[in-house]
């Protein structure tokens, strides 16, 4: 666009704000995309009113090429907030963006009245208005997307932590019950978690229980051995418990040397050994009588 | 692959080896490596810097903060004009040593990084490049 | 000359390494420790490395050497406080220091030395006390 004519958008938004709002609301209410099940009419009115007043303030600072500038901060923050709340209310990203896009028709109609017979001026302003509203609409989609990504990331983190709970069984004894398939990435997280917890809880014995691990391959076995070796360097002893018969067979067939590692069939027997190492023991009523 | 930042350090004395460790630590932290990965990288850098000083008769290391559009990483190139290594394959096996050490310098640091490249020619020198992604 | 300070507590020697050591400093520590074990007839050596951010093969070898030399001089060595990241890296490097006793902290390390010496006494090995 060379030598474009002066814009009438700021003036229009300032002077005819009430008329624009009434028009726009009528259109939204009669639109097929209205979701009366998700949002109250009163809230929609309030949101539309605030959007228009913030937009009028923003365009008064100029119709920039981007909406990140100072003048647009308030309106883009408002739309970000709107997008997040609509995501929570169950709107789809399309429905959220439609809120902004639906203003186009109203704005274009009013621009047509404002420019009357000046076709060139009208075309220029329609282009400007269209670009501006597209950017604001896409901004709501972007915020929606980012909100989703943050949720996914948080859930991944939670899952990772959930899948590797290190529990303190007794003063000086921690246990790590492993459940599910171990891949290289998860094993590394598990290993680091366990070693950190050994330091935090000042535990000299760590029991790694693999009852819930369906298979053990060479890589997983090596990771387990590395964990045991690292714990030993830090001054803690590891006991591996819950080795099922098939896994014992696999380990021997794979040629993995577990001779240096203390292994026990069950978590209970590992716990008993651990207590004994710390100078304690479990007394049953029978053993007390003797 | 884009190089975002580069710096070259001289390796001539034991103090230089310490400086290589500290610079590597600062760069790795800046790139955002986890603590364990920082430690692995600094340890590998320490091994290779010592080799450059002891066996290469001194040399340089070039640190490069790199980015390949999806990942960030740190690349280090150790270079000397020393006697070189005649049999690289043997030098890379665990326990092989000419300097009375444990022979884990080369083979061990290879395990601590994602990429390890070595070039050497007897009488001309040695160049080792390591790379670790964040 | 720069040195790592060594403390004496009854019949034990205590070292806390708090600086990023260059190689000569590590070798000096090794010399000083063996010297002092003999001079004070020390029975235990406790090395606290909780401040060390890395242990490479050189420092690892120094720790193994100190433990081996101390054993010949009839003293027990315990290395305490190795950080998780350092331990993981050492294992990956291939350095598991099999001859070195370890403990989580200074307190646990001292108890380990006492227990080891007690076991020796009961087995009738080592120097008699007093």
């Amino acid at each position: 666009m060379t030598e474009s004519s002066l814009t009438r958008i700021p003036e229009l938004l300032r002077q005819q704000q009430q008329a624009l709002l009434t028009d726009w609301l009528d259109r939204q209410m009669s639109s097929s995309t209205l979701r009366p099940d998700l949002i109250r009419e009163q809230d929609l009115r309030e949101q539309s009113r605030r959007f228009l007043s913030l937009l009028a303030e923003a365009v008064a600072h100029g119709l920039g090429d981007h909406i990140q500038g100072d003048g647009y901060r308030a309106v883009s923050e408002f739309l970000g907030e709107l997008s997040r709340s609509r995501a929570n209310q169950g709107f789809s990203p399309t429905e959220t963006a439609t809120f902004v896009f639906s203003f186009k028709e109203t704005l274009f109609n009013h621009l047509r009245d404002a420019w009357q017979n000046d076709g060139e001026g009208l075309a220029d302003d329609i282009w400007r208005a269209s670009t501006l509203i597209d950017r604001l609409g896409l901004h709501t989609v972007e915020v929606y997307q980012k909100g989703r990504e943050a949720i996914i990331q948080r859930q991944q983190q939670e899952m990772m932590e959930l899948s590797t709970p290190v529990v303190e069984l007794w003063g000086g004894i921690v246990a790590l019950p492993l459940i599910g398939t171990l891949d290289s990435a998860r094993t590394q997280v598990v290993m680091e978690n366990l070693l950190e917890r050994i330091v935090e809880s000042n535990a000299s014995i760590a029991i790694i229980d693999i009852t819930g691990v369906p298979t053990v391959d060479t890589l997983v076995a090596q990771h387990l051995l590395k964990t045991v070796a690292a714990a030993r360097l830090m001054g803690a002893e590891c006991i591996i418990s819950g080795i099922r018969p098939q896994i014992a067979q696999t380990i021997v067939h794979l040629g993995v040397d577990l001779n240096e590692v203390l292994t026990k069939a069950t978590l209970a027997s590992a716990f008993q050994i651990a207590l004994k190492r710390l100078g304690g023991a479990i007394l049953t009523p029978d053993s007390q009588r003797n | 692959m884009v190089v975002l930042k580069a710096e070259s350090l001289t390796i001539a004395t034991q103090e230089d080896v310490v400086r290589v460790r500290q610079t590597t630590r600062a760069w790795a932290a800046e790139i955002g490596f986890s603590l364990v990965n920082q430690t692995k990288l600094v340890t590998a850098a320490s091994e290779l810097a010592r080799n450059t000083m002891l066996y290469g008769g001194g040399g340089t290391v070039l640190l490069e903060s790199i980015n390949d559009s999806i990942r960030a990483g740190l690349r280090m190139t150790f270079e000397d004009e020393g006697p070189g290594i005649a049999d690289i394959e043997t030098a890379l096996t665990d326990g092989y040593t000419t300097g009375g050490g444990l022979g884990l310098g080369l083979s061990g640091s290879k395990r601590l990084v994602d990429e390890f490249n070595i070039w050497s020619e007897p009488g001309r020198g040695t160049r080792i490049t390591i790379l670790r992604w964040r | 000359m720069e040195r790592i300070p060594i403390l004496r507590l009854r019949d034990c020697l205590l070292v806390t390494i708090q600086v990023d050591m260059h190689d000569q400093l590590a070798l000096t520590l090794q010399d000083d420790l063996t010297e002092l074990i003999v001079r004070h007839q020390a029975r235990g050596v406790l090395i606290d490395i909780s401040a060390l951010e890395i242990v490479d093969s050189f420092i690892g070898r120094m720790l193994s050497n100190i433990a081996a030399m101390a054993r010949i001089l009839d003293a027990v060595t315990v290395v305490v406080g190795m950080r998780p990241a350092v331990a993981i890296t050492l294992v990956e490097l291939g350095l598991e220091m099999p001859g070195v006793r370890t403990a989580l902290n200074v307190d646990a390390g001292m108890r380990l030395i006492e227990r080891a010496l007690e076991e020796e006494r009961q087995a009738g090995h080592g120097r008699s006390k007093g």
Side-chain angles (χ1 to χ4, degrees), chain A residues 10 16-17 69 80 91 95 107 128 135 139 149 151 153 189 204 211 219 237 280 286 290:
Chain A
Q16 300 187 33
Q17 208 174 105
F91 282 89
E95 285 166 341
L107 184 59
R128 291 189 192 100
R135 288 208 175 98
H139 175 67
E149 274 167 21
I151 291 171
Q153 217 165 32
V189 175
S204 53
T211 312
L219 213 62
E237 190 181 9
D286 281 345
N290 294 333

Side-chain angles (χ1 to χ4, degrees), chain C residues 31-52:
Chain C
D31 289 347
D32 288 354
L33 268 175
T34 44
E35 188 72 31
L36 287 176
I37 290 172
V38 174
R39 194 188 303 161
H40 300 304
Q41 303 208 343
R43 301 299 321 278
V45 176
L46 189 137
I47 306 171
D48 177 11
I49 58 164
S50 58
L52 284 192

Side-chain angles (χ1 to χ4, degrees), chain C residues 14-109:
Chain C
L14 268 64
V15 185
T16 301
I17 305 173
Q18 279 174 326
V19 291
D20 190 349
M21 293 187 291
H22 58 72
D23 295 358
Q24 187 52 49
L25 192 56
L27 292 176
T28 308
L29 175 64
Q30 187 176 309
D31 289 347
D32 288 354
L33 268 175
T34 44
E35 188 72 31
L36 287 176
I37 290 172
V38 174
R39 194 188 303 161
H40 300 304
Q41 303 208 343
R43 301 299 321 278
V45 176
L46 189 137
I47 306 171
D48 177 11
I49 58 164
S50 58
L52 284 192
E53 289 182 339
I54 75 148
V55 170
D56 63 8
S57 67
F58 192 87
I59 303 297
R61 179 159 60 109
M62 175 208 74
L63 293 172
S64 293
N65 284 352
I66 290 174
M69 291 168 189
R71 199 175 306 121
I72 296 172
L73 298 169
D74 197 19
V76 175
T77 306
V78 177
V79 172
V80 308
M82 186 185 289
R83 297 182 181 188
V86 173
I88 291 171
T89 304
L90 268 185
V91 170
E92 207 67 55
L93 194 63
L95 204 72
E96 300 185 6
M97 307 203 291
V100 181
R101 286 173 203 252
T102 54
L104 286 174
N105 48 44
V106 175
D107 192 42

Side-chain angles (χ1 to χ4, degrees), chain A residues 48-245:
Chain A
S48 303
R49 191 195 61 76
R50 280 199 61 202
F51 172 64
L52 275 196
S53 93
L54 288 169
L55 182 65
E57 271 172 44
V59 295
H61 288 85
L63 285 156
D65 272 344
H66 50 82
I67 55 162
Q68 310 302 333
D70 281 348
Y72 286 85
R73 184 165 297 150
V75 68
S76 57
E77 269 173 18
F78 167 74
L79 285 178
E81 202 45 59
L82 179 107
S83 181
R84 273 186 286 271
S85 77
R86 295 216 166 184
N88 285 338
Q89 286 163 339
F91 282 89
S92 74
T94 307
E95 285 166 341
T96 307
T98 302
F99 168 73
V100 180
F101 290 139
S102 70
F103 180 56
K104 261 189 193 177
E105 200 180 354
T106 310
L107 184 59
F108 290 179
N109 283 340
H110 282 253
L111 278 172
R112 196 181 300 139
D113 295 343
W115 284 95
Q116 304 274 340
N117 292 325
D118 186 346
E120 206 170 307
L122 178 63
D124 283 353
D125 251 1
I126 294 235
W127 172 251
R128 291 189 192 100
S130 185
T131 313
L132 175 66
I133 298 211
D134 285 351
R135 288 208 175 98
L136 292 170
L138 288 175
H139 175 67
T140 65
V141 175
E142 210 170 291
V143 173
Y144 191 99
Q145 187 76 21
K146 276 189 188 144
R148 279 293 153 114
E149 274 167 21
I151 291 171
I152 292 170
Q153 217 165 32
R154 203 187 61 228
Q155 284 173 341
Q156 269 178 343
Q157 184 66 31
E158 279 169 1
M159 254 166 65
M160 205 62 133
E161 279 163 17
L162 274 178
S163 65
T164 61
V166 182
V167 289
E168 197 167 351
L169 286 184
W170 200 264
I173 305 172
V174 291
L176 172 72
L178 287 176
I179 293 162
T181 312
L182 291 171
D183 60 19
S184 202
R186 187 171 164 228
T187 316
Q188 202 167 337
V189 175
V190 168
M191 178 167 169
E192 290 179 28
N193 255 4
L194 178 66
L195 299 180
E196 287 292 343
R197 283 300 301 273
I198 285 175
V199 177
E200 279 167 26
S201 50
N202 200 10
S204 53
I205 299 179
I207 303 171
I208 304 173
D209 185 75
I210 58 168
T211 312
V213 178
T215 53
V216 168
D217 60 13
T218 319
L219 213 62
V220 170
Q222 271 167 358
H223 274 301
L224 283 174
L225 284 175
K226 281 180 187 171
T227 311
V228 174
R232 198 199 72 79
L233 282 174
M234 289 164 51
E237 190 181 9
C238 284
I239 305 173
I240 298 179
S241 69
I243 303 180
R244 286 182 284 121

